[in-house]
Amino acid sequence: MSLLGLVLTIFVGSMLAALVSRFGRLHAAWLSGVVVVVALIQLLFLMTPVIDGETTIERWSWIPTVGLDLVFRLDGLGMLFALLILGIGLLIVIYARYYLSERDCMGRFYAYLMLFMGAMLGIVLSENIIQLLIFWEMTSLSSFLLISYWQERSDARNGARMALAITGAGGLAMFGGFVLLGEMVGSYELSVILDSGELIRNHPQYLTVLILILLGAFTKSAQFPFHFWLPNAMAAPTPVSAYLHSATMVKAGVFLLARFFPALSNTPEWSWLVGGAGLITLLVGAIVALFKHDLKGLLAYSTISHLGLITLLFGIGTPLAAVAGVFHIINHAIFKASLFMAAGIIDHEAGSRDMRQLNGLWKYMPHTALLAMVAAGAMAGVPLLNGFLSKEMFFAEAVSAATYLQLGWILPALVTLSGIFAFAYSIRFIHDVFFNGEPIGLPKTPHEPPRWMKVPVEMLVALCLLVGILPTLTVEPLLRIAAGGVLQAPLPYFDLAIWHGLSPALLMSLIALIGGLLVYSLRYPLFRLHDRFEPYVQASKVFDALLRALHALAAAITRHTDIGSLQRMLAWFVFSALVLGISGFAAGDGILRGPRTTLPLDGVSLVAAAGVIAAALATVLLHRRRLLSLIVMGAVGLIVALIFVKFSAPDLALTQLSVEVVTIVLLLLALYYLPQRQLPESGLWRRARDGLLALAAGGGAALLSWAVLTRPFTSISDYFLDNSVSGGGGTNVVNVILVDFRGFDTLGEITVLALAALGIYAMLEHLSLSGPTVDRRGRPWDRDVHPAIMGSLTRILLPMALLVSLFILLRGHNLPGGGFIAGLVTAVALITQYLANGVRWTQARLPANMHPVIGVGLLLATLTGLGSWWFGYPFLTSTFSHMHWPIVGEFELASAMLFDLGVYLTVVGATLLILIFIGMLHSGDDTEHKPAGESA
Amino acid sequence: MTFTMPNIAPALPEIFILSMACLILVIDLFLTDRQRFVTYLLTQATLVVAFILIVTDFTQGRVLTFSDTFVRDPMADVLKACIFIAGLVTFTYSRDYLQTRQIFKGEFFVLGLFAILGMMILTSAHNFLTIYLGLELLSLSLYAMVAMQRDSVTASEAAMKYFILGAIASGMLLYGISMIYGVTGTLDLAEVARQVPETEKQLLLTFGLVFLIVGVAFKLGAVPFHMWVPDVYHGAATPTTLFIGSAPKIAAFAMLMRLLVDGLGGLHAQWQDILIILAVLSMGVGNIVAIAQSNIKRMLAYSTISHVGFLMLGVLTGTAEGYAAAMFYTLAYVLMTLGGFGMVILLSREGFEADKLDDFKGLNERSPWFAFMMLIVMFSMAGVPPFIGFWAKLSVLKEVIAADMVWLAVVAVIFSIIGAFYYLRVIRLMYFDKPVDTARLEVALDMRLLLSANGLGVLLLGLFPGGLLALCLAALSGS
């Protein structure tokens, strides 16, 4: 027998209920009843140590890695709540068995109900606050399922949705509060937390913790300004309302206040927040309740008001007030459960809950009427009923709290005002429903319910009377144990007598009684007044407005950021990177310039820089005239090549030069299919914005380069300079790096190049596009596409260009040059033939199938690498020797040259393949305009 | 030049995936469309075997190989195992979708395998170059996967945007790497970490750091580098979205860890500030903008953005426990995302994408079980116990508070509360509204089972999170 077993019993019951309902409609109800009785018996056994004043703590290993155990705790407070949850739960189970109609799915209902019951038990029996939080959210979840049980009704939907949104959000806030509290105290266990009151109250984060936890408690127990979800949750089946409003759900909030009372209370912050919220809720609930024509609506607001009362009591913060709070929790649970059940019976048997229709039911259901009247009397605080006792204590506490407050009289005055309205709505409940003439337009003739439907109500009403008449014999022991659990300290003196003599509290009760009668007699003018002002003061409207505002904000942000425009995205991207970059600068030591001395500025560099800048600017400015901007861009590339020359990097310059040519040809071929002139798409403002962004980003990058270049660095080039000849047998370091030091990389690169070429070939083969035949002014293009002079000249150029490329290839290992450059030069020379003479002419003389070339190139490079394996060296180890050629003279032959040949072939093949196929896209090219060269 | 054979044993799973990807690519060429199933099965088998390779040879400690460019440690192993699971689940969910839409192509699976290989390399990177290599392998595969639906305008547009922005982000990353290389003269993460405290060029280092973070933030989808996320999630076919949204996030987390913690741990003070800004912005924008979405894929995209913010909270604490919390968050997030997008796939059928929020209306009437699964996933994403998302948030918040950043924790909580609204909206639609789409749900058995397991996993790991938490802690306590 254990607390874990107790909680698990209920959860297992939930699952079983869902299962057994398959075998019969009522099985679930019976099973649930039995399970709850079993749980109650377990609880009775577990209670014994608690009655002796001990606290049972039970620990089960759960998540040892983070030091989180499944810990249960049974003390006075937990015991009281467990009794209420299971006791009233049992009555609800019986009641619901008769309440639910044939059409309702019993299994689902009982499964949800038991799930909810188990979660509630978990809350009140948790020692670990994280565990408490889990059960807490489970109640949100399962109550959501319960409230929405009648899914087809739209009010049920909205009610459940609001309940879930509010309590769910509150739960998350509490989650934050709990984590903070746990870190503050160093433990998540209640025993430690409750003992650390001093530490918590003096902690700088106390207020944060308090607010976060209170948000959870207030949303759950429907305190102002979160009270509006509760009446909306009225759409639930009545047994659910009865349960949620009496012993569970809303009580979880006040349970939390009671639980953390020793740890968090006794500060001005606590008093103002808790007391203030309680007082407002008390008043608002009591006043609004009077104006609700719906029977359950009235009860719902009365629940809100009573919860406010309990909260206010805890807010007052004295031990005696806390005792009164616990007492009222018990009393409210008993009379509110019976009232809801009675309201359910009326709804069930009369078919309406509208008090403007329900009149004079006394004649039809006298037994039920009597029960309801007693319970309503308890709610109003009529002497000899349980509600009276706790209400007196509450009034007395309000008076005594008033003595040490400035303007203290306001508190008792407001409390009395709430008492007046409480009395008035209780009278309305009795008089409007059971007397006040005849029923008006009811769908069916009311009659008494089945016998067993009344039994739960009778038992609760009997309790009201018993507690009210014999408090010391019945409720006092339980109250003492429970209050002890709340305070975790010795109890203050209190006396549960019915008669306390002529006290201010009695006077307040009297005023409430008389005032209540008066208000009730004035109800019709008040209703009219209320109807006039009601639309303006609904809290749920505020909630809705807040939601709408949030939606509007979300929509606004979406409109401004999420419009799917790539330009906007890029602008944001660059801007954000810029801001982060500036923040990086601000975070650093702030010195941009490093200690290195700068080289003297010379004219050539200056001109080159100016040229690059001018050409780059022109590219941007002319970007709408594509051909022009391409040409200017070519100029940028050429100047860059010159800069390489200036800094003694002929290899790079050569590469840049040949790559530039190939790229421009490629771009020309591709752009041919785009419109020749792009229309302006952006306004002046946007261009200004983009220009500024570009300037800033470019400036930033320039400054960064400045910062990097002015700082000393160790160059890696020394290693290559030292080892180039000895290790690679070549004096051209760049080439030796390519074919030797980084031979593996080069092999990979040419493979990628080959694959890219094949990929482009696969995409473009058999594809044909029609390009423009007229220029942008509408003039047809020159029919002579391949002018004869140009064609002849390129033909003469070809052998020379090939010779040059061969030269470059051969000398590459020692002097500027190499396979890559040579390959590009060859490719350019051949491409020129295609451009000048047309595809058909060239293809007739030159095999267009480049695949073998690429393949041989790759194979050669790979075999060179593998060759070194043959000789027992690792992959791509190079060797070299010198030989004497007759005319050329001393010539060095390195295995790397073979590799370079592979590179050369691959580059030629790939480049040609890509360019030829892009060029051949234009199907009509050759057929319509016979090139001049062809006729020759 | 000599070339010595490195120890390839630690990279066995990678080598296996690479070989299989190439093999499947070739086998697929010889299959007819009717036999395409073989490709699918081979892909799944590859992932299973790779998973077994990792799990049976779990690393203790830290093994470096390939000239110290590749590291295998417990974190890498755990993350890789999870990547395999995520891949397996993604492919299973995708199968039926792809088949019914005649896009059941071998490329999808091969690209997926290559992307997974990229993720693995990223996870095991111990050198800036390896990081870049993995990142590009991953990104290029993803670009292609998004663009695979050639005839879909939205998909092509999304792929284009993804590619252009991704290229710029990669550029930024390289820029940052080059700057750090300029300062330290090395690309080796451990060597960089050793040099960081000594160097006098703090300014350049900070700049380098900033650009590295831009690159990682883009990959993660953190605000303000998040623009691509909604468009790509929305534009791509749902299986691709599912793929992009799940496993790569694990790799992105690994990348964050490798770069910032392994490499630039010495600059914690600097990157903490930047991450705080990014995290707060991500949580704020993600959660608020998600409310306004009517498309569930976009909504989940923004939800991702907000989760990324939360994840960064864990990393920015700079403690091993914080890293473990962030890792747990990542894994939890991936599990939930799989479930969420799995549901979108489940509801869709040929000619109907089910990507509107309204398509979820009344799901409870059509299929109570899967409505319940979605409810679990949504609650978990909102951080409601007893689901795994709760523990993820809890562990991160705990570490943030432990690192004395209470205000940040409070901000995170506030944004979570705002976020709860849109998750709950999905639940409301499923449970309370009348179904708009009344077609019968026809779900393949494998999908039905796996999605149920996915949903129940969110619940069960929520009830017993101890094992996974311990795993994350153990994986990171060594580093």
Side-chain angles (χ1 to χ4, degrees), chain A residues 62 65 148 151 157 161 188 554 562 564 569 712, chain B residues 161 201 231 288 298 302 364 398 428 432 463 470:
Chain A
W62 182 27
T65 38
S148 64
Q151 290 153 357
R157 296 206 292 265
R161 171 189 140 206
Y188 288 104
D562 185 15
M569 290 180 190
Chain B
K161 285 177 184 165
K201 303 177 196 165
D231 279 359
I288 291 174
R298 279 195 107 78
Y302 279 104
N364 188 37
K398 217 171 85 175
R428 187 196 90 206
F432 297 135
L463 290 175

PDB file of all heavy atoms in Angstrom, chain A residues 62 65 148 151 157 161 188 554 562 564 569 712, chain B residues 161 201 231 288 298 302 364 398 428 432 463 470:
ATOM      1  N   TRP A  62      13.327   7.751 -10.324  1.00  0.00           N
ATOM      2  CA  TRP A  62      12.657   8.056 -11.585  1.00  0.00           C
ATOM      3  C   TRP A  62      13.675   8.495 -12.630  1.00  0.00           C
ATOM      4  O   TRP A  62      13.937   7.826 -13.610  1.00  0.00           O
ATOM      5  CB  TRP A  62      11.593   9.135 -11.340  1.00  0.00           C
ATOM      6  CG  TRP A  62      10.786   9.513 -12.526  1.00  0.00           C
ATOM      7  CD1 TRP A  62      10.503   8.730 -13.607  1.00  0.00           C
ATOM      8  CD2 TRP A  62      10.146  10.757 -12.743  1.00  0.00           C
ATOM      9  NE1 TRP A  62       9.706   9.420 -14.476  1.00  0.00           N
ATOM     10  CE2 TRP A  62       9.468  10.658 -13.991  1.00  0.00           C
ATOM     11  CE3 TRP A  62      10.054  11.953 -12.021  1.00  0.00           C
ATOM     12  CZ2 TRP A  62       8.738  11.714 -14.506  1.00  0.00           C
ATOM     13  CZ3 TRP A  62       9.322  12.988 -12.533  1.00  0.00           C
ATOM     14  CH2 TRP A  62       8.671  12.881 -13.765  1.00  0.00           C
ATOM     15  N   THR A  65      19.546  10.635 -13.165  1.00  0.00           N
ATOM     16  CA  THR A  65      20.632  11.425 -13.749  1.00  0.00           C
ATOM     17  C   THR A  65      20.503  12.901 -13.428  1.00  0.00           C
ATOM     18  O   THR A  65      21.489  13.603 -13.297  1.00  0.00           O
ATOM     19  CB  THR A  65      20.626  11.285 -15.273  1.00  0.00           C
ATOM     20  OG1 THR A  65      19.287  11.245 -15.713  1.00  0.00           O
ATOM     21  CG2 THR A  65      21.354  10.062 -15.687  1.00  0.00           C
ATOM     22  N   SER A 148     -14.887  19.433 -23.187  1.00  0.00           N
ATOM     23  CA  SER A 148     -15.268  19.343 -24.592  1.00  0.00           C
ATOM     24  C   SER A 148     -15.974  18.033 -24.897  1.00  0.00           C
ATOM     25  O   SER A 148     -16.096  17.646 -26.041  1.00  0.00           O
ATOM     26  CB  SER A 148     -14.026  19.458 -25.461  1.00  0.00           C
ATOM     27  OG  SER A 148     -13.179  18.369 -25.210  1.00  0.00           O
ATOM     28  N   GLN A 151     -18.825  17.407 -27.933  1.00  0.00           N
ATOM     29  CA  GLN A 151     -18.066  18.162 -28.933  1.00  0.00           C
ATOM     30  C   GLN A 151     -18.939  18.904 -29.912  1.00  0.00           C
ATOM     31  O   GLN A 151     -18.541  19.908 -30.471  1.00  0.00           O
ATOM     32  CB  GLN A 151     -17.179  17.206 -29.724  1.00  0.00           C
ATOM     33  CG  GLN A 151     -16.073  16.665 -28.894  1.00  0.00           C
ATOM     34  CD  GLN A 151     -15.647  15.319 -29.411  1.00  0.00           C
ATOM     35  OE1 GLN A 151     -16.222  14.791 -30.339  1.00  0.00           O
ATOM     36  NE2 GLN A 151     -14.636  14.756 -28.796  1.00  0.00           N
ATOM     37  N   ARG A 157     -17.172  23.916 -27.358  1.00  0.00           N
ATOM     38  CA  ARG A 157     -15.886  24.106 -28.030  1.00  0.00           C
ATOM     39  C   ARG A 157     -15.183  25.347 -27.541  1.00  0.00           C
ATOM     40  O   ARG A 157     -14.039  25.333 -27.143  1.00  0.00           O
ATOM     41  CB  ARG A 157     -16.104  24.220 -29.528  1.00  0.00           C
ATOM     42  CG  ARG A 157     -16.667  22.991 -30.165  1.00  0.00           C
ATOM     43  CD  ARG A 157     -16.234  22.991 -31.604  1.00  0.00           C
ATOM     44  NE  ARG A 157     -16.868  24.052 -32.361  1.00  0.00           N
ATOM     45  CZ  ARG A 157     -17.970  23.873 -33.071  1.00  0.00           C
ATOM     46  NH1 ARG A 157     -18.553  22.704 -33.082  1.00  0.00           N
ATOM     47  NH2 ARG A 157     -18.481  24.848 -33.766  1.00  0.00           N
ATOM     48  N   ARG A 161     -11.805  25.605 -25.263  1.00  0.00           N
ATOM     49  CA  ARG A 161     -10.654  26.235 -25.880  1.00  0.00           C
ATOM     50  C   ARG A 161     -10.111  27.350 -24.992  1.00  0.00           C
ATOM     51  O   ARG A 161      -8.914  27.473 -24.750  1.00  0.00           O
ATOM     52  CB  ARG A 161     -11.098  26.784 -27.218  1.00  0.00           C
ATOM     53  CG  ARG A 161     -10.113  27.637 -27.906  1.00  0.00           C
ATOM     54  CD  ARG A 161     -10.781  28.262 -29.094  1.00  0.00           C
ATOM     55  NE  ARG A 161     -10.361  29.632 -29.242  1.00  0.00           N
ATOM     56  CZ  ARG A 161     -11.094  30.551 -29.832  1.00  0.00           C
ATOM     57  NH1 ARG A 161     -12.293  30.261 -30.295  1.00  0.00           N
ATOM     58  NH2 ARG A 161     -10.653  31.768 -29.953  1.00  0.00           N
ATOM     59  N   TYR A 188      14.038  20.696  -5.504  1.00  0.00           N
ATOM     60  CA  TYR A 188      12.674  20.806  -6.017  1.00  0.00           C
ATOM     61  C   TYR A 188      11.682  20.161  -5.058  1.00  0.00           C
ATOM     62  O   TYR A 188      10.544  19.936  -5.416  1.00  0.00           O
ATOM     63  CB  TYR A 188      12.583  20.148  -7.389  1.00  0.00           C
ATOM     64  CG  TYR A 188      13.271  20.942  -8.467  1.00  0.00           C
ATOM     65  CD1 TYR A 188      14.501  20.562  -8.983  1.00  0.00           C
ATOM     66  CD2 TYR A 188      12.684  22.096  -8.962  1.00  0.00           C
ATOM     67  CE1 TYR A 188      15.132  21.313  -9.956  1.00  0.00           C
ATOM     68  CE2 TYR A 188      13.308  22.842  -9.938  1.00  0.00           C
ATOM     69  CZ  TYR A 188      14.530  22.443 -10.429  1.00  0.00           C
ATOM     70  OH  TYR A 188      15.143  23.188 -11.399  1.00  0.00           O
ATOM     71  N   ALA A 554       1.205  39.857 -35.120  1.00  0.00           N
ATOM     72  CA  ALA A 554       1.798  38.761 -35.886  1.00  0.00           C
ATOM     73  C   ALA A 554       1.609  38.993 -37.381  1.00  0.00           C
ATOM     74  O   ALA A 554       2.541  38.821 -38.170  1.00  0.00           O
ATOM     75  CB  ALA A 554       1.152  37.436 -35.468  1.00  0.00           C
ATOM     76  N   ASP A 562       7.805  38.602 -44.018  1.00  0.00           N
ATOM     77  CA  ASP A 562       7.617  37.325 -44.687  1.00  0.00           C
ATOM     78  C   ASP A 562       6.830  37.512 -45.976  1.00  0.00           C
ATOM     79  O   ASP A 562       5.715  37.052 -46.112  1.00  0.00           O
ATOM     80  CB  ASP A 562       6.885  36.379 -43.731  1.00  0.00           C
ATOM     81  CG  ASP A 562       6.756  34.990 -44.322  1.00  0.00           C
ATOM     82  OD1 ASP A 562       7.461  34.720 -45.296  1.00  0.00           O
ATOM     83  OD2 ASP A 562       5.961  34.198 -43.815  1.00  0.00           O
ATOM     84  N   GLY A 564       8.228  36.832 -48.959  1.00  0.00           N
ATOM     85  CA  GLY A 564       8.763  35.929 -49.966  1.00  0.00           C
ATOM     86  C   GLY A 564       9.631  36.599 -51.007  1.00  0.00           C
ATOM     87  O   GLY A 564       9.947  36.005 -52.016  1.00  0.00           O
ATOM     88  N   MET A 569      14.910  39.560 -48.560  1.00  0.00           N
ATOM     89  CA  MET A 569      15.667  38.635 -47.714  1.00  0.00           C
ATOM     90  C   MET A 569      17.158  38.954 -47.747  1.00  0.00           C
ATOM     91  O   MET A 569      17.827  38.987 -46.717  1.00  0.00           O
ATOM     92  CB  MET A 569      15.488  37.201 -48.205  1.00  0.00           C
ATOM     93  CG  MET A 569      14.124  36.636 -47.981  1.00  0.00           C
ATOM     94  SD  MET A 569      14.108  34.949 -48.606  1.00  0.00           S
ATOM     95  CE  MET A 569      12.373  34.609 -48.516  1.00  0.00           C
ATOM     96  N   PRO A 712      50.787  41.385 -38.548  1.00  0.00           N
ATOM     97  CA  PRO A 712      51.812  40.436 -38.989  1.00  0.00           C
ATOM     98  C   PRO A 712      51.238  39.029 -39.085  1.00  0.00           C
ATOM     99  O   PRO A 712      50.327  38.678 -38.347  1.00  0.00           O
ATOM    100  CB  PRO A 712      52.856  40.521 -37.876  1.00  0.00           C
ATOM    101  CG  PRO A 712      52.110  41.009 -36.682  1.00  0.00           C
ATOM    102  CD  PRO A 712      51.018  41.895 -37.198  1.00  0.00           C
TER     103      PRO A 712
ATOM    104  N   LYS B 161      15.770  30.353 -53.769  1.00  0.00           N
ATOM    105  CA  LYS B 161      16.047  31.225 -52.614  1.00  0.00           C
ATOM    106  C   LYS B 161      16.996  30.545 -51.643  1.00  0.00           C
ATOM    107  O   LYS B 161      17.945  31.144 -51.139  1.00  0.00           O
ATOM    108  CB  LYS B 161      14.741  31.529 -51.882  1.00  0.00           C
ATOM    109  CG  LYS B 161      13.871  32.520 -52.577  1.00  0.00           C
ATOM    110  CD  LYS B 161      12.587  32.677 -51.804  1.00  0.00           C
ATOM    111  CE  LYS B 161      11.629  33.596 -52.528  1.00  0.00           C
ATOM    112  NZ  LYS B 161      10.275  33.495 -51.992  1.00  0.00           N
ATOM    113  N   LYS B 201      45.515  39.199 -31.364  1.00  0.00           N
ATOM    114  CA  LYS B 201      44.644  39.758 -32.400  1.00  0.00           C
ATOM    115  C   LYS B 201      43.181  39.496 -32.078  1.00  0.00           C
ATOM    116  O   LYS B 201      42.468  38.844 -32.823  1.00  0.00           O
ATOM    117  CB  LYS B 201      45.004  39.148 -33.747  1.00  0.00           C
ATOM    118  CG  LYS B 201      46.451  39.354 -34.125  1.00  0.00           C
ATOM    119  CD  LYS B 201      46.725  38.644 -35.431  1.00  0.00           C
ATOM    120  CE  LYS B 201      48.219  38.483 -35.676  1.00  0.00           C
ATOM    121  NZ  LYS B 201      48.473  37.517 -36.730  1.00  0.00           N
ATOM    122  N   ASP B 231       9.782  29.856 -46.362  1.00  0.00           N
ATOM    123  CA  ASP B 231       9.594  29.661 -47.796  1.00  0.00           C
ATOM    124  C   ASP B 231       9.986  28.252 -48.231  1.00  0.00           C
ATOM    125  O   ASP B 231       9.310  27.632 -49.038  1.00  0.00           O
ATOM    126  CB  ASP B 231      10.403  30.703 -48.583  1.00  0.00           C
ATOM    127  CG  ASP B 231       9.662  32.021 -48.634  1.00  0.00           C
ATOM    128  OD1 ASP B 231       8.552  32.069 -48.084  1.00  0.00           O
ATOM    129  OD2 ASP B 231      10.182  32.989 -49.211  1.00  0.00           O
ATOM    130  N   ILE B 288       5.698  34.735 -32.346  1.00  0.00           N
ATOM    131  CA  ILE B 288       4.643  35.690 -32.668  1.00  0.00           C
ATOM    132  C   ILE B 288       4.166  35.500 -34.096  1.00  0.00           C
ATOM    133  O   ILE B 288       2.956  35.459 -34.353  1.00  0.00           O
ATOM    134  CB  ILE B 288       5.142  37.131 -32.433  1.00  0.00           C
ATOM    135  CG1 ILE B 288       5.329  37.353 -30.936  1.00  0.00           C
ATOM    136  CG2 ILE B 288       4.134  38.131 -32.986  1.00  0.00           C
ATOM    137  CD1 ILE B 288       5.933  38.652 -30.565  1.00  0.00           C
ATOM    138  N   ARG B 298       4.132  26.398 -42.851  1.00  0.00           N
ATOM    139  CA  ARG B 298       4.729  27.686 -42.463  1.00  0.00           C
ATOM    140  C   ARG B 298       4.707  27.850 -40.952  1.00  0.00           C
ATOM    141  O   ARG B 298       5.660  28.347 -40.349  1.00  0.00           O
ATOM    142  CB  ARG B 298       3.945  28.836 -43.095  1.00  0.00           C
ATOM    143  CG  ARG B 298       4.300  29.115 -44.522  1.00  0.00           C
ATOM    144  CD  ARG B 298       3.750  30.471 -44.926  1.00  0.00           C
ATOM    145  NE  ARG B 298       4.791  31.467 -45.041  1.00  0.00           N
ATOM    146  CZ  ARG B 298       5.604  31.561 -46.090  1.00  0.00           C
ATOM    147  NH1 ARG B 298       5.501  30.719 -47.079  1.00  0.00           N
ATOM    148  NH2 ARG B 298       6.524  32.503 -46.133  1.00  0.00           N
ATOM    149  N   TYR B 302       7.932  28.456 -38.511  1.00  0.00           N
ATOM    150  CA  TYR B 302       8.181  29.485 -37.494  1.00  0.00           C
ATOM    151  C   TYR B 302       8.357  28.859 -36.120  1.00  0.00           C
ATOM    152  O   TYR B 302       9.130  29.355 -35.300  1.00  0.00           O
ATOM    153  CB  TYR B 302       7.061  30.517 -37.498  1.00  0.00           C
ATOM    154  CG  TYR B 302       7.249  31.531 -38.593  1.00  0.00           C
ATOM    155  CD1 TYR B 302       6.502  31.503 -39.751  1.00  0.00           C
ATOM    156  CD2 TYR B 302       8.236  32.498 -38.471  1.00  0.00           C
ATOM    157  CE1 TYR B 302       6.704  32.417 -40.764  1.00  0.00           C
ATOM    158  CE2 TYR B 302       8.460  33.416 -39.473  1.00  0.00           C
ATOM    159  CZ  TYR B 302       7.686  33.371 -40.619  1.00  0.00           C
ATOM    160  OH  TYR B 302       7.913  34.266 -41.607  1.00  0.00           O
ATOM    161  N   ASN B 364     -10.511  14.787 -35.171  1.00  0.00           N
ATOM    162  CA  ASN B 364     -10.944  13.871 -34.121  1.00  0.00           C
ATOM    163  C   ASN B 364     -12.125  13.026 -34.574  1.00  0.00           C
ATOM    164  O   ASN B 364     -12.273  11.878 -34.166  1.00  0.00           O
ATOM    165  CB  ASN B 364     -11.322  14.671 -32.877  1.00  0.00           C
ATOM    166  CG  ASN B 364     -11.586  13.767 -31.705  1.00  0.00           C
ATOM    167  OD1 ASN B 364     -10.923  12.763 -31.538  1.00  0.00           O
ATOM    168  ND2 ASN B 364     -12.575  14.117 -30.914  1.00  0.00           N
ATOM    169  N   LYS B 398      16.520  25.422 -16.712  1.00  0.00           N
ATOM    170  CA  LYS B 398      17.252  25.188 -15.472  1.00  0.00           C
ATOM    171  C   LYS B 398      18.695  25.646 -15.614  1.00  0.00           C
ATOM    172  O   LYS B 398      19.237  26.328 -14.737  1.00  0.00           O
ATOM    173  CB  LYS B 398      17.209  23.688 -15.157  1.00  0.00           C
ATOM    174  CG  LYS B 398      17.092  23.388 -13.700  1.00  0.00           C
ATOM    175  CD  LYS B 398      16.834  21.914 -13.497  1.00  0.00           C
ATOM    176  CE  LYS B 398      18.113  21.136 -13.470  1.00  0.00           C
ATOM    177  NZ  LYS B 398      17.927  19.716 -13.167  1.00  0.00           N
ATOM    178  N   ARG B 428      -7.500  22.782 -31.105  1.00  0.00           N
ATOM    179  CA  ARG B 428      -8.877  23.267 -31.166  1.00  0.00           C
ATOM    180  C   ARG B 428      -9.507  22.863 -32.499  1.00  0.00           C
ATOM    181  O   ARG B 428     -10.619  22.345 -32.546  1.00  0.00           O
ATOM    182  CB  ARG B 428      -8.876  24.782 -31.036  1.00  0.00           C
ATOM    183  CG  ARG B 428     -10.256  25.367 -30.922  1.00  0.00           C
ATOM    184  CD  ARG B 428     -10.209  26.845 -31.185  1.00  0.00           C
ATOM    185  NE  ARG B 428     -10.392  27.124 -32.584  1.00  0.00           N
ATOM    186  CZ  ARG B 428      -9.933  28.214 -33.199  1.00  0.00           C
ATOM    187  NH1 ARG B 428      -9.224  29.096 -32.545  1.00  0.00           N
ATOM    188  NH2 ARG B 428     -10.165  28.415 -34.465  1.00  0.00           N
ATOM    189  N   PHE B 432     -12.607  20.483 -32.201  1.00  0.00           N
ATOM    190  CA  PHE B 432     -13.864  21.200 -32.047  1.00  0.00           C
ATOM    191  C   PHE B 432     -14.517  21.637 -33.335  1.00  0.00           C
ATOM    192  O   PHE B 432     -15.656  22.057 -33.330  1.00  0.00           O
ATOM    193  CB  PHE B 432     -13.657  22.427 -31.170  1.00  0.00           C
ATOM    194  CG  PHE B 432     -13.232  22.060 -29.812  1.00  0.00           C
ATOM    195  CD1 PHE B 432     -12.209  22.720 -29.178  1.00  0.00           C
ATOM    196  CD2 PHE B 432     -13.857  21.022 -29.166  1.00  0.00           C
ATOM    197  CE1 PHE B 432     -11.818  22.340 -27.926  1.00  0.00           C
ATOM    198  CE2 PHE B 432     -13.472  20.648 -27.916  1.00  0.00           C
ATOM    199  CZ  PHE B 432     -12.443  21.314 -27.289  1.00  0.00           C
ATOM    200  N   LEU B 463       7.486  10.605 -20.078  1.00  0.00           N
ATOM    201  CA  LEU B 463       7.283   9.986 -18.769  1.00  0.00           C
ATOM    202  C   LEU B 463       8.598   9.478 -18.200  1.00  0.00           C
ATOM    203  O   LEU B 463       8.820   9.529 -16.991  1.00  0.00           O
ATOM    204  CB  LEU B 463       6.283   8.837 -18.894  1.00  0.00           C
ATOM    205  CG  LEU B 463       4.842   9.263 -19.177  1.00  0.00           C
ATOM    206  CD1 LEU B 463       3.955   8.040 -19.398  1.00  0.00           C
ATOM    207  CD2 LEU B 463       4.290  10.109 -18.049  1.00  0.00           C
ATOM    208  N   ALA B 470      20.390  11.195 -19.559  1.00  0.00           N
ATOM    209  CA  ALA B 470      21.679  10.651 -19.113  1.00  0.00           C
ATOM    210  C   ALA B 470      22.625  10.503 -20.286  1.00  0.00           C
ATOM    211  O   ALA B 470      23.813  10.804 -20.191  1.00  0.00           O
ATOM    212  CB  ALA B 470      21.450   9.302 -18.437  1.00  0.00           C
TER     213      ALA B 470
END
